[in-house]
DNA sequence: CTGTTAGCGCCTTCAA
DNA sequence: TTGAAGGCGCTAACAG
């Protein structure tokens, strides 16, 4: 039995070891490591020793001495949602590429940033934080502001999502109104005039913003606003199912919309299932458009037309901005609006060509 | 313009502050914080001061002084894959509940644990690591062993997945042979005799183990082994598509299997799409069974029968074990086999009842 | 039971 | 250009 092999951990080599080996003081070692002033001679000796012993300065001590520990925090919601997991992937990759590590903090979807969580975050040994999901989505601007300002006192932050009034920080955002416009105009081109928005939760600021864009765009295009009361029941497939069932059950066949714009692909997935169950064919009798271009959308029947917000890109971008800010260079208060792309597949009937409804 | 609000960061309160306020030495403060010996009197004074100032000991210094920094590492692959993101979610929640934070390290799917990554991991200030995905899957036992042993010298580790020969550590695993048996016996009950395994990659040790189980179970049940050469082309939906197309194109209609067992739900998703494209109805003409019970499976047409490995549970479990080991109690070398459950839905024709093929 | 002191590994004035 | 020394916040061994 090879039990107890664990924890041999030969004492890690320190700055002293290489100072000794190079025949200089630790101060000199520290200097050459940080690219400070040093004579060519000692620099060479030190570098040789470093290479020899495979020395790497200790994160902990470096941080204790007031330096960067090269680690970032990603505060997110519900990593199981593919939007967030893609974002997370993008963030982790970007962090690693830049020599940073990424600590993950998730919150349950419903909760906003509460006192306990905040304490936890504040105690983490990180150089900065990227915030996305409920921490920047749920609640009003005022509610969010308080906590975020407090967090910001301790470290620089970058938010992903809608901008928060009164918070000056770098913000990565999608122009949700563009995503809505692209969706609606695609549907209009295909002849649809009766379009309904489904899913989402009014707890979410993104949702509210996207829904507002939807309403104003519908008006602008001279379309009838079909159901204006809140149809949102969440962002899950189950929500899409329920929401679709509810919507269609209270509308007569001739009042029924011919197209559904879903809050995200999960909602669209549920809607698709419910439509099938009700015997309503997609896209012949009902067009459906999602949002997020999640991995499963091309494989649905029919393949789902959707909008790609490029979440990996959001994650990458946020991390790069954060690292830039930590480095102390450039603007620390602006929004960067990222592009989104309409991905046309078959669920809106693009293959059927433009039709005339009613 | 409220620029430059950032970084006011009022100096954080230290053990000295509360020592002063309580009128004792820092040693005493340290003792009451760690539940050491102290008189009731000083304990009370110290606790009052702590509560008063909202003091919380500094992670960094604590760790530098040789204590636990209460942080864990999760080394995983491809968080976008719902299996891993669910696992990640479970791990993060468990860590947080126990007062630990979770640092995330992802690797690209193909790579095994290489020198660079290892260096990166070794330099992270964490108390232990959970390893899952390519770090413990890709490559032979010998290849993996070397790196893992090195990592283990620095911190305790828990692996999720197939056990690695020669590595003594705690291991969380699913009994893949059970998952295969459950799948096959379900199909047999429904009358299937011609069953084929699709997808996966022989780079993965889990895959190899699951496939071996498949082959031996097929033999045991006296079924014909349909295609025994490697049909694996990866774990993605695309792989499922390709693999299915390839399989069916080289088999005549009467040699065709009546049931497909997919390496995971993603592969099943792609297979489903390809079957539809080829005009083969599921489940009437072809049964299909997945693995992982991913969120989208109930919403497919038909809803996918699959096996739930309970990845959240794996993540939670691994973290709890790791924390236990860090605490220094109990066994440090054993495998914990977690249950898996067959989730019967419609893609194998359960609603159609048992049939007779051929 | 409590305080003093010496590190943990690194960075940074300050003299030399 | 370099080294000595102090400090970051905390723990633990050692006296008292």
């Amino acid at each position: 039995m090879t039990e107890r092999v664990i924890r041999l951990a030969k004492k890690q080599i320190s700055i002293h070891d290489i100072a000794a080996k190079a025949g200089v003081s630790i101060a000199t070692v520290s200097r050459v490591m940080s690219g400070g002033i040093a004579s060519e001679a000692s620099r060479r000796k030190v570098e040789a020793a470093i290479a020899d012993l495979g020395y790497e300065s200790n994160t902990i001590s470096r941080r204790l001495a007031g330096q960067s520990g090269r680690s970032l925090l990603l505060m997110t919601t519900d990593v199981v949602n593919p939007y967030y997991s893609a974002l997370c992937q993008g963030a982790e990759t970007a962090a690693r590429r830049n020599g940073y590590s990424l600590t993950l903090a998730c919150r349950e979807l419903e909760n906003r940033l509460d006192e306990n969580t905040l304490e936890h975050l504040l105690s983490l040994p990180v150089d900065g934080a990227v915030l996305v999901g409920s921490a920047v989505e749920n609640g009003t601007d005022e509610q969010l502001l308080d906590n975020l300002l407090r967090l910001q006192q301790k470290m620089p932050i970058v938010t992903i999502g809608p901008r928060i009034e009164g918070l000056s920080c770098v913000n990565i955002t999608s122009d949700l109104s563009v995503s809505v416009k692209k969706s609606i105009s695609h549907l209009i081109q295909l002849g649809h005039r009766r379009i309904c928005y489904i899913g989402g939760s009014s707890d979410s600021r993104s949702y509210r913003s996207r829904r507002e864009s939807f309403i104003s765009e519908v008006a602008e295009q001279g379309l009838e606003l079909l159901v204006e009361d809140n149809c949102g029941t969440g962002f899950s497939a189950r929500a899409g199912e329920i929401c679709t069932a509810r919507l269609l059950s209270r509308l007569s066949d001739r009042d029924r919309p011919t197209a559904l714009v879903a809050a995200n692909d999960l909602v669209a997935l549920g809607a698709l299932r419910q439509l099938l169950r009700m015997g309503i064919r997609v896209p012949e009798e009902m067009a459906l458009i999602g949002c997020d271009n999640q991995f499963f959308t091309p494989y649905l029947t029919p393949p789902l037309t959707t909008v790609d917000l490029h979440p990996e890109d959001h994650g990458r971008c946020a991390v790069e901005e954060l690292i830039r800010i930590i480095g102390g260079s450039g603007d620390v208060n602006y929004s960067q609006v990222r592009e989104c792309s309409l991905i046309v597949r078959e669920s809106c009937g693009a293959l059927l060509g433009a039709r005339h409804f009613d």
Side-chain angles (χ1 to χ4, degrees), chain A:
Chain A
M1 278 296 113
T2 335
E3 287 285 323
R4 298 286 156 207
V5 188
I6 283 176
R7 304 275 192 139
L8 295 188
K10 37 181 178 280
K11 197 175 138 357
Q12 80 156 25
I13 45 198
S14 85
I15 197 174
H16 291 98
D17 300 316
I18 87 114
K21 188 173 173 94
V24 297
S25 74
I26 60 166
T28 302
V29 177
S30 178
R31 284 193 202 96
V32 342
M33 292 228 50
S34 62
I37 293 169
S39 71
E40 202 41 55
S42 26
R43 159 158 287 125
R44 230 192 307 274
K45 285 186 293 180
V46 167
E47 275 166 355
I50 289 180
D52 234 42
L53 274 52
Y55 169 67
E56 205 168 336
S57 85
N58 180 306
T59 312
I60 299 296
S61 339
R62 210 179 334 127
R63 187 190 290 279
L64 186 59
Q67 298 300 103
S68 158
R70 298 198 151 258
S71 75
L72 267 26
L73 172 68
L74 174 62
M75 164 99 206
T76 177
T77 297
D78 189 19
V79 214
V80 178
N81 180 318
Y83 172 83
Y84 291 112
S85 56
L87 189 151
C88 179
Q89 181 99 296
E92 199 277 342
T93 304
R96 188 157 30 82
R97 292 239 166 93
N98 286 281
Y100 279 74
S101 65
L102 223 216
T103 293
L104 189 65
C106 306
R107 288 279 62 194
E108 283 70 31
L109 186 56
E110 305 73 27
N111 299 329
R112 60 171 191 274
L113 198 54
D114 59 34
E115 196 56 25
N116 282 340
T117 316
L118 192 63
E119 290 305 331
H120 177 70
L121 297 190
L122 289 174
S123 77
L124 291 178
V126 294
D127 302 311
V130 173
L131 305 171
V132 64
S134 58
V136 291
E137 290 283 4
N138 292 17
T140 63
D141 278 13
E142 304 86 67
Q143 292 172 318
L144 291 171
L145 198 52
D146 225 41
N147 286 324
L148 292 179
L149 282 177
R150 219 169 122 207
L151 182 56
Q152 200 175 221
Q153 283 196 306
K154 246 204 124 195
M155 58 183 86
I157 67 180
V158 170
T159 60
I160 303 179
R163 194 161 180 81
I164 292 164
E165 194 64 42
L167 184 70
S168 53
C169 69
V170 170
N171 167 252
I172 311 293
T173 190
S174 293
D175 191 335
L176 263 16
S177 74
V178 171
S179 80
V180 166
K181 278 183 187 160
K182 287 186 176 175
S183 302
I184 292 186
S185 77
H186 179 62
L187 290 169
I188 290 180
Q189 276 175 15
L190 294 171
H192 294 276
R193 308 276 309 159
R194 310 170 59 73
I195 308 176
C196 187
Y197 192 90
I198 59 170
S201 153
S202 51
D203 287 347
S204 154
R205 299 168 66 249
S206 279
Y207 166 79
R208 296 203 295 269
S209 142
R210 195 162 189 263
R211 184 160 174 83
E212 276 163 29
S213 304
F214 179 82
I215 293 176
S216 73
E217 183 66 12
V218 158
E220 192 155 320
Q221 296 294 331
L223 306 182
E224 181 186 354
L225 183 59
L226 272 186
V227 184
E228 78 164 332
D229 60 345
N230 189 352
C231 183
T233 47
F235 289 101
S236 64
R238 180 87 186 109
E241 221 175 348
I242 295 174
C243 183
T244 303
R246 193 185 294 165
L247 173 71
L248 297 186
S249 73
R250 72 175 167 215
L251 253 36
S252 69
D253 277 14
R254 58 158 293 115
D255 289 337
R256 185 192 278 172
T258 65
L260 263 24
V261 175
N264 69 14
D265 289 336
L266 257 26
V267 169
L269 180 64
L272 194 57
R273 177 91 195 123
Q274 182 60 29
L275 289 168
L276 181 81
R277 190 178 286 137
M278 298 175 80
I280 299 172
R281 288 174 304 151
V282 178
E284 292 81 357
E285 298 172 272
M286 182 73 78
L288 179 63
I289 187 164
C291 184
D292 283 351
N293 193 26
Q294 292 184 3
F295 64 90
F296 60 83
T297 52
Y299 295 96
L300 296 179
T301 310
L304 190 68
T305 290
T306 184
V307 178
D308 197 335
L309 264 27
H310 307 295
E312 292 216 24
D313 179 63
H314 289 188
R316 181 184 56 67
C317 212
V319 162
E320 286 171 355
E321 287 295 298
L322 188 52
I323 291 175
R324 178 178 64 65
I325 295 168
I326 290 171
S329 67
D331 207 349
V332 295
N333 181 25
Y334 76 104
S335 279
Q336 182 168 336
V337 181
R338 309 296 297 179
E339 291 297 312
C340 60
S341 347
L342 181 71
I343 312 290
V344 177
R345 289 197 274 252
E346 299 168 31
S347 67
C348 295
L351 294 188
L352 272 36
R355 291 173 290 165
H356 182 72
F357 296 93
D358 264 18

